[in-house]
Amino acid sequence: MMDSSNLKQLYLKDTTFANLMQKRIFNVLLVASRYDAFIMEEDGRVEEQIFFEYVSLNLSSPPRVKQVLTHEEAFEELSHKHYDLIITMPGVECGETFAQAREMKRLYPHIPIVVLTPFSREVSRRISNEDPSGVDYVFSWLGNVDLLLAIVKLLEDKLNAQEDIKSVGVQVILVVEDSIRFYSSVLPHIYKFVLKQSQTFSTEALNEHEQMLRMRGRPKVLLARDYEEAVTLYDKYADNMLGIISDVSFMRNGEKDKRAGLKFCSYVREKDPYIPIIIESSDLDNQCAATRLNASFLNKNSKKLPVDLGKTIMKNFGFGDFSFINPHTGEEIARIRNLKDLQNIILSIPDDSLYYHASRNQISRWLYSRAIFPIAEVLKQRRFDRIEEAQEIRQLIFGAIVQYRKMKNRGVVAIFKRDRFDKYSNFARIGQGSLGGKGRGLAFIDAMIKRNPQLENFGTANVTVPKTVVLCTDIFDEFMELNNLYQVALSDISDEEILGHFLQAKLPEQFNEDFMAFFEVVGKPIAVRSSSLLEDSHYQPFAGIYSTYMIPYLDDKNEMLRLLNDAIKGVYASVFYADSKAYMTATSNIIDQEKMAIILQEVVGTQYDDHYYPSFSGVGRSLNYYPINDEKSEDGVVDIAVGLGKYIVDGGRSLRFSPKHPAKVLQTSTMELALRDTQTRFYALDLKNTDKSFVVDDGFNLLNLSIRDAEKDNSLRMMVSTFDPYDQMIRDGYYEGGRKVVTFANMLQHDVFPLADILDSMLSIGHREMGRHIEIEFAGNLIGPENKKGTIYWLQIRPIVDTKEMLNDAILDVPDEKTILKSDTALGHGIMDNIHYIIYVKTEGFKASNNLLIAREIEKINATFTGQGENYILIGPGRWGSSDSALGIPVKWPHISNARLIVEAALSNYRIEPSQGTHFFQNLTSFGVGYFTINPFSGDGYYDEEYLNSLPAETETQFLRMVRFDNPVRVEINGKKSKGLVLKPELRAE
């Protein structure tokens, strides 16, 4: 029995259709008199006719045709331009054409030469007496422009056969025929049929580009004109032969043999009893012989031969629908049209029917004809000799299809189709516009995982992307214009009023059925995330500026559809909120040029009664600005927490560690730190109160719960340690009783789950593939029937823009008295010497209870700086940007967007651990904003507030003071060594 691990190894190798058909015919030289060319052209130039024939069959790169009148002109043309094919039409004198062809072949041996003659018995008689050694093929012009297409494709197939057949298993249809008139008639029909079939089957592809490439995997047609050539081609490609079409009377051993075709078919049957064979003959006596050879018979003289040939190929060569039959009665049991049908029905096909078709290679032939090579290859290699093996066949086919579809969906942005999106689908788009920044990032991640299969094989875990559908930016344009919303959106009304207008607007209704199909497949809550054109761009990522809503999974799909519509409209509205407009101004972007795509994505997690959350979420950066102990800045850093990632985004207490040093976690290095500085609360999605109205706060339906609630859910076992109050110690692992401390110790120190290895791989592979330092977001789920092994879902990747290394090390030696600020844990890089203002929170009488009021004051002052285009240094206690006002001043990035240096300064009675992973850190690094952490009480840095207090205030409020310097202060940061300072202007060290 073939187990799943073997299957995975077998099918992970995808077919690279782009590598097929590498040798093409682009330039054709036609040597013909004006009269001969006119006979061919009918109502248009030859090149135009070929072009329209290519377009009708969805083929790319039609050849260009250059016509010359004489052979002299042909030699002149060949001397200065490259041609891939020469077609020459003989005039009255055939002999000269063949002689000139021999000369051309001598001078240009690699260019195929075709003689194209008008059809008549006299011309045929003359040609039979000529020396054809300089000619690759002779064709008869029968008035059918399809012949030109067939000539080009026959030669391209011959050029590419060896490489394409051996490399990926492309199939061959072998045509054995020596009559010029007959193969000139029949080849265009065969090609038209094969190309149209491949056009139909290419719909298995996930987007238009893939469809075009997939057509390159169509069967090749090879022509043999005598017995020896037929045997040679069969022996060479026997393992990849889809079927054979053979005449009966042709040359064998240098003589005409009236039974050569039957002898050839007997030779084939000895080697392969099941390969489809079609025997064509004008002698009806050969029909009995064909029946004895288990071959189909067609009458060459039949008026409807092309139709009969098409039907016979369709029935026997694996084209068309596949019909499972009862082998005893011939009655049809089931009909399948595509791979998904086969997957759905294979488990219920009776043993005798399955064995009958599989043992005759009919299922593999059907897959080959559709260019589904990986599955077809394995089925063909696995011989079935006994009906008792039917169950194994069934499981092999089903497992192969699952593996193949997962592989094909990985790394491809498919067009969303309701009837095709299922649990094996991964990433699709609705609309024709851009995917936006996050959407592009997710598509890149998906392709990166496919290129780096080690990410899917960590033994007890794997990395993937959640099921995702992107609504492209053209749907945003349609929504805005349909509802005439720009006038409202660009006005100065409040965020709440803007949201109200957007919620009253209507989304295009044609997408509702797509949304319903998405609900059915996902079966989980859905995150509705922004993906604007400007988000996550390389030089100014708009991280955390727009809204992200989550909606629960409901049994009432109409109610779920209403919530989804409101969530989409809410994200659209957030483009035009005051914060977004302020950010746009600060980054010199124009609001009405912003376009919004929407990401619809399954929310990673598990349902616990009336709430839902993942085991953990986190943010990782490939550059660690706070390295401790043996860590290096390039080792990277991760912040991780139980529950939804919004907890980390809002500045909550997460666990910070370097994935290369997982055993050394600062926060759990002592019991006191672990009890004080680890996570105590988490976010979960509320599944109960689903009737709440959407508001500007995108977390309106999230629950802020205690870690004790997660303990009741029994979801913490691998992520916590237990505090034993009696022995006053923390034990790694989950034990009954005692406070649970979120340490992730079982994963980081005891390798219960390869968390550090996975995150280290994600950061290093992402860094390598993006060619720059990166920030990632992820969520993990360790619980659930589909997670026999844990899964880490990669949610986002974006670049960190790293500024140049500062070369001046004198920064390290400047004495304190020359500085206003000095930090030994500085974030940032480089020199700033154009700042005239410092704004600082007055420490005298400071109370954390005033932090909300302080945030409002800073927002007002920042707005004036935005208007003036000035910058400043901002100093204050606690964590900037924390949503918990007890831990720091809860500003958002737009409220401090003009700060060039932000400083966290501890007070004697207010010492908060430095902030990590707040959402605007991405903006700090992208815009080159410095960030100092200063705690003079623990010997970390220096802050001369007395000096600032001695200077006259430009502005002073109850909580803030702003001073202005005539000469700018100078900020110097050595990022690699985490050192930074601000020099007093009158003592600047040049």
Side-chain angles (χ1 to χ4, degrees):
M1 189 70 181
M2 188 165 291
D3 63 28
S4 59
S5 62
N6 289 336
L7 279 173
K8 193 153 194 171
Q9 290 166 3
L10 283 167
Y11 306 127
L12 257 170
K13 189 170 183 235
D14 197 0
T15 304
T16 313
F17 288 103
N19 291 344
L20 301 178
M21 295 291 287
Q22 289 295 297
K23 296 170 183 169
R24 306 294 285 273
I25 289 173
F26 293 110
N27 293 300
V28 177
L29 182 63
L30 174 64
V31 188
S33 70
R34 285 198 172 91
Y35 175 72
D36 289 328
F38 180 78
I39 291 172
M40 286 172 60
E41 286 174 354
E42 297 176 4
D43 54 357
R45 289 176 57 243
V46 174
E47 187 177 306
E48 287 174 15
Q49 292 184 69
I50 294 177
F51 174 80
F52 288 124
E53 193 63 27
Y54 266 63
V55 168
S56 72
L57 291 166
N58 204 28
L59 300 174
S60 60
S61 310
R64 298 178 66 102
V65 179
K66 168 73 175 177
Q67 185 192 342
V68 294
L69 301 177
T70 65
H71 286 100
E72 290 75 18
E73 287 180 37
F75 282 110
E76 170 63 24
E77 191 67 29
L78 287 165
S79 69
H80 67 266
K81 185 175 177 184
H82 173 75
Y83 283 91
D84 306 298
L85 169 62
I86 300 167
I87 298 177
T88 178
M89 298 186 74
V92 178
E93 186 50 62
C94 273
E96 185 193 349
T97 299
F98 281 89
Q100 295 288 1
R102 288 193 295 277
E103 180 62 13
M104 284 179 183
K105 186 61 87 173
R106 186 182 69 78
L107 293 172
Y108 306 100
H110 300 302
I111 304 178
I113 299 175
V114 168
V115 171
L116 184 58
T117 71
F119 174 69
S120 73
R121 289 188 181 277
E122 180 60 25
V123 170
S124 300
R125 186 187 61 75
R126 283 193 213 163
I127 287 173
S128 63
N129 296 321
E130 296 293 342
D131 174 5
S133 58
V135 174
D136 292 83
Y137 293 101
V138 179
F139 284 91
S140 284
W141 178 250
L142 303 168
N144 183 0
V145 74
D146 293 349
L147 178 61
L148 296 172
L149 177 93
I151 291 170
V152 170
K153 289 299 163 191
L154 182 73
L155 285 161
E156 286 184 344
D157 284 358
K158 186 177 180 182
L159 289 169
N160 292 286
Q162 173 85 16
E163 184 60 34
D164 292 1
I165 292 167
K166 295 302 179 189
S167 65
V168 303
V170 168
Q171 298 293 283
V172 175
I173 295 174
L174 178 60
V175 179
V176 189
E177 178 61 68
D178 68 341
S179 163
I180 295 171
R181 187 200 73 79
F182 192 76
Y183 67 63
S184 298
S185 167
V186 85
L187 278 173
H189 289 297
I190 292 173
Y191 267 109
K192 200 82 174 262
F193 177 82
V194 168
L195 289 166
K196 284 195 169 170
Q197 289 302 312
S198 68
Q199 203 175 347
T200 304
F201 303 151
S202 72
T203 57
E204 290 276 0
L206 298 169
N207 55 36
E208 289 103 330
H209 180 242
E210 187 102 341
Q211 280 186 13
M212 288 292 288
L213 290 177
R214 196 180 182 85
M215 288 183 71
R216 297 186 185 182
R218 66 163 176 79
K220 306 243 182 274
V221 178
L222 299 180
L223 175 64
R225 287 158 292 183
D226 59 39
Y227 182 90
E228 287 72 27
E229 190 179 8
V231 169
T232 300
L233 286 172
Y234 176 77
D235 287 347
K236 188 172 185 179
Y237 299 123
D239 289 340
N240 297 91
M241 199 67 65
L242 195 65
I244 294 168
I245 303 167
S246 180
D247 185 19
V248 174
S249 173
F250 48 82
M251 302 295 281
R252 179 172 173 268
N253 294 328
E255 296 179 0
K256 193 78 163 178
D257 183 339
K258 291 192 173 182
R259 296 180 61 79
L262 300 176
K263 290 171 184 174
F264 172 64
C265 292
S266 298
Y267 174 81
V268 170
R269 271 287 171 257
E270 286 174 15
K271 294 174 179 289
D272 188 337
Y274 299 121
I275 185 171
I277 297 174
I278 299 172
I279 291 175
E280 301 174 314
S281 175
S282 48
D283 183 351
L284 295 182
D285 291 343
N286 287 318
Q287 186 162 3
C288 292
T291 304
R292 284 195 299 274
L293 286 165
N294 190 24
S296 303
F297 180 82
L298 294 178
N299 180 1
K300 271 188 168 184
N301 294 327
S302 168
K303 293 273 197 299
K304 58 187 184 67
L305 176 64
V307 176
D308 292 342
L309 181 61
K311 284 182 179 174
T312 311
I313 292 174
M314 176 78 90
K315 180 181 176 185
N316 296 315
F317 284 22
F319 295 105
D321 296 346
F322 189 92
S323 175
F324 279 101
I325 63 165
N326 180 325
H328 310 295
T329 65
E331 179 190 355
E332 182 175 285
I333 296 168
R335 178 172 289 270
I336 57 173
R337 296 164 298 134
N338 52 40
L339 196 60
K340 191 175 176 184
D341 282 356
L342 181 59
Q343 181 182 351
N344 291 339
I345 215 164
I346 193 67
L347 297 179
S348 60
I349 295 296
D351 288 1
D352 53 354
S353 175
L354 188 58
Y355 173 71
Y356 173 81
H357 292 291
S359 63
R360 287 163 171 74
N361 287 329
Q362 289 174 0
I363 300 174
S364 63
R365 185 170 291 112
W366 184 79
L367 292 163
Y368 271 128
S369 76
R370 284 159 168 67
I372 304 173
F373 301 121
I375 308 178
E377 202 75 22
V378 174
L379 283 184
K380 189 173 181 183
Q381 287 171 7
R382 176 69 172 85
R383 293 288 175 194
F384 298 107
D385 306 315
R386 297 175 300 112
I387 195 169
E388 289 76 19
E389 295 175 308
Q391 182 59 20
E392 184 179 341
I393 303 170
R394 192 176 283 111
Q395 290 299 331
L396 179 63
I397 294 171
F398 183 81
I401 295 171
V402 168
Q403 198 66 36
Y404 175 82
R405 293 190 64 204
K406 281 183 178 176
M407 175 192 68
K408 292 304 292 180
N409 278 288
R410 171 77 70 207
V412 176
V413 182
I415 297 166
F416 185 89
K417 292 188 176 172
R418 291 192 289 273
D419 59 341
R420 204 173 292 170
F421 194 85
D422 62 15
K423 69 177 183 175
Y424 302 107
S425 305
N426 221 45
F427 199 115
R429 64 176 167 84
I430 297 173
Q432 297 299 315
S434 168
L435 300 175
K438 280 184 198 158
R440 280 193 304 270
L442 276 162
F444 181 76
I445 291 166
D446 204 29
M448 188 163 52
I449 293 172
K450 186 171 186 174
R451 285 192 297 273
N452 296 274
Q454 66 266 39
L455 288 169
E456 296 188 271
N457 294 300
F458 277 94
T460 57
N462 66 302
V463 178
T464 189
V465 172
K467 285 202 187 330
T468 301
V469 169
V470 180
L471 307 184
C472 296
T473 51
D474 54 319
I475 296 169
F476 172 78
D477 292 338
E478 187 180 344
F479 170 75
M480 294 297 290
E481 286 164 20
L482 186 70
N483 296 283
N484 198 20
L485 282 169
Y486 275 110
Q487 193 171 349
V488 169
L490 297 172
S491 69
D492 292 328
I493 61 175
S494 70
D495 294 352
E496 288 74 18
E497 289 176 285
I498 287 174
L499 178 61
H501 280 284
F502 272 68
L503 290 176
Q504 286 167 16
K506 285 193 172 180
L507 279 169
E509 289 184 4
Q510 69 262 32
F511 304 120
N512 284 345
E513 287 187 40
D514 291 341
F515 297 155
M516 289 289 205
F518 185 60
F519 296 161
E520 290 299 329
V521 171
V522 172
K524 292 181 177 181
I526 291 171
V528 183
R529 306 171 66 195
S530 63
S531 180
S532 79
L533 288 183
L534 296 174
E535 267 182 307
D536 300 351
S537 66
H538 284 173
Y539 298 106
Q540 45 186 33
F542 277 35
I545 296 304
Y546 305 127
S547 299
T548 292
Y549 290 99
M550 291 185 185
I551 64 164
Y553 182 77
L554 303 175
D555 292 331
D556 183 347
K557 295 300 176 292
N558 287 319
E559 177 61 11
M560 194 173 172
L561 183 64
R562 183 190 70 78
L563 291 176
L564 180 69
N565 273 271
D566 282 355
I568 292 168
K569 290 183 279 190
V571 175
Y572 283 160
S574 70
V575 176
F576 304 99
Y577 289 168
D579 283 354
S580 306
K581 288 170 180 166
Y583 192 87
M584 284 280 182
T585 307
T587 55
S588 304
N589 282 290
I590 301 168
I591 190 87
D592 58 4
Q593 288 185 352
E594 177 67 301
K595 307 281 187 194
M596 180 66 76
I598 297 277
I599 294 170
L600 306 181
Q601 195 171 63
E602 66 173 296
V603 179
V604 177
T606 303
Q607 181 172 344
Y608 304 94
D609 295 328
D610 55 7
H611 53 275
Y612 183 99
Y613 57 92
S615 302
F616 55 82
S617 302
V619 176
R621 292 186 294 278
S622 62
L623 203 55
N624 181 2
Y625 288 112
Y626 291 89
I628 55 170
N629 301 326
D630 301 331
E631 297 169 2
K632 298 173 186 168
S633 58
E634 59 270 19
D635 288 344
V637 65
V638 168
D639 289 279
I640 193 168
V642 171
L644 292 169
K646 185 172 171 63
Y647 179 80
I648 297 174
V649 166
D650 285 354
R653 283 188 184 132
S654 54
L655 193 82
R656 171 192 175 280
F657 67 94
S658 169
K660 286 200 186 300
H661 308 271
K664 296 177 181 177
V665 181
L666 180 65
Q667 286 154 274
T668 59
S669 57
T670 69
M671 186 178 73
E672 291 72 25
L673 279 172
L675 293 174
R676 191 186 77 195
D677 282 352
T678 52
Q679 184 180 2
T680 56
R681 305 195 68 77
F682 72 100
Y683 282 138
L685 176 63
D686 185 355
L687 304 180
K688 187 177 180 184
N689 303 299
T690 59
D691 54 351
K692 289 182 184 175
S693 298
F694 278 71
V695 295
V696 171
D697 175 10
D698 57 7
F700 77 99
N701 59 350
L702 300 186
L703 301 169
N704 188 335
L705 301 174
S706 164
I707 286 294
R708 289 193 194 93
D709 294 309
E711 187 180 353
K712 290 175 197 164
D713 295 334
N714 196 24
S715 64
L716 294 174
R717 290 190 175 270
M718 291 173 68
M719 295 170 291
V720 294
S721 300
T722 306
F723 173 59
D724 183 338
Y726 301 106
D727 291 343
Q728 285 292 298
M729 65 182 296
I730 294 175
R731 303 182 194 281
D732 292 346
Y734 183 98
Y735 300 98
E736 293 301 327
R739 174 184 155 188
K740 302 303 177 284
V741 185
V742 181
T743 63
F744 289 87
N746 274 340
M747 299 186 193
L748 299 180
Q749 279 94 42
H750 305 297
D751 296 327
V752 173
F753 179 84
L755 178 66
D757 285 347
I758 293 173
L759 294 173
D760 184 39
S761 295
M762 289 165 71
L763 287 172
S764 57
I765 290 170
H767 180 198
R768 184 186 73 229
E769 293 241 355
M770 276 200 121
R772 49 179 56 81
H773 281 295
I774 57 163
E775 181 168 278
I776 64 171
E777 292 180 20
F778 60 89
N781 217 31
L782 309 176
I783 299 170
E786 76 281 6
N787 286 305
K788 291 171 188 169
K789 54 185 190 177
T791 302
I792 287 188
Y793 294 84
W794 198 334
L795 304 178
Q796 204 165 335
I797 188 169
R798 53 178 169 253
I800 295 172
V801 180
D802 192 18
T803 49
K804 290 179 182 176
E805 176 89 32
M806 193 184 73
L807 301 175
N808 181 11
D809 278 347
I811 178 176
L812 307 176
D813 307 319
V814 178
D816 290 353
E817 61 267 18
K818 290 191 175 185
T819 67
I820 303 170
L821 296 163
K822 195 185 247 190
S823 173
D824 296 322
T825 48
L827 164 62
H829 233 22
I831 298 169
M832 295 173 261
D833 58 2
N834 59 347
I835 300 173
H836 289 267
Y837 293 91
I838 293 180
I839 301 168
Y840 62 101
V841 177
K842 296 190 284 192
T843 59
E844 190 178 340
F846 171 80
K847 290 180 183 173
S849 57
N850 294 322
N851 279 350
L852 276 167
L853 300 172
I854 296 171
R856 285 182 200 147
E857 286 190 358
I858 291 170
E859 181 182 0
K860 286 178 189 169
I861 294 173
N862 188 75
T864 64
F865 276 85
T866 302
Q868 296 164 7
E870 288 269 10
N871 298 116
Y872 58 88
I873 294 169
L874 178 63
I875 309 168
R879 297 179 170 187
W880 287 107
S882 173
S883 60
D884 184 348
S885 60
L887 296 176
I889 298 166
V891 287
K892 293 182 180 177
W893 175 254
H895 304 160
I896 56 171
S897 57
N898 279 65
R900 294 290 286 142
L901 172 64
I902 301 165
V903 183
E904 293 182 2
L907 307 182
S908 59
N909 60 345
Y910 187 70
R911 302 185 198 178
I912 305 296
E913 283 297 310
S915 61
Q916 297 288 324
T918 53
H919 216 36
F920 60 65
F921 262 45
Q922 170 65 14
N923 298 308
L924 300 179
T925 54
S926 298
F927 299 127
V929 177
Y931 205 93
F932 287 4
T933 301
I934 294 174
N935 186 356
F937 307 99
S938 63
D940 179 8
Y942 173 77
Y943 172 27
D944 194 346
E945 189 184 358
E946 284 184 27
Y947 168 75
L948 294 176
N949 287 337
S950 71
L951 300 172
E954 179 96 349
T955 301
E956 188 162 1
T957 69
Q958 182 183 351
F959 306 114
L960 297 174
R961 203 163 184 273
M962 179 171 75
V963 297
R964 184 185 185 282
F965 299 88
D966 292 334
N967 294 321
V969 296
R970 182 182 178 95
V971 179
E972 296 187 1
I973 309 172
N974 186 322
K976 296 292 182 185
K977 296 180 179 174
S978 300
K979 305 285 186 183
L981 56 76
V982 178
L983 291 162
K984 293 175 181 173
E986 64 270 26
L987 298 168
R988 282 173 54 173
E990 297 299 336

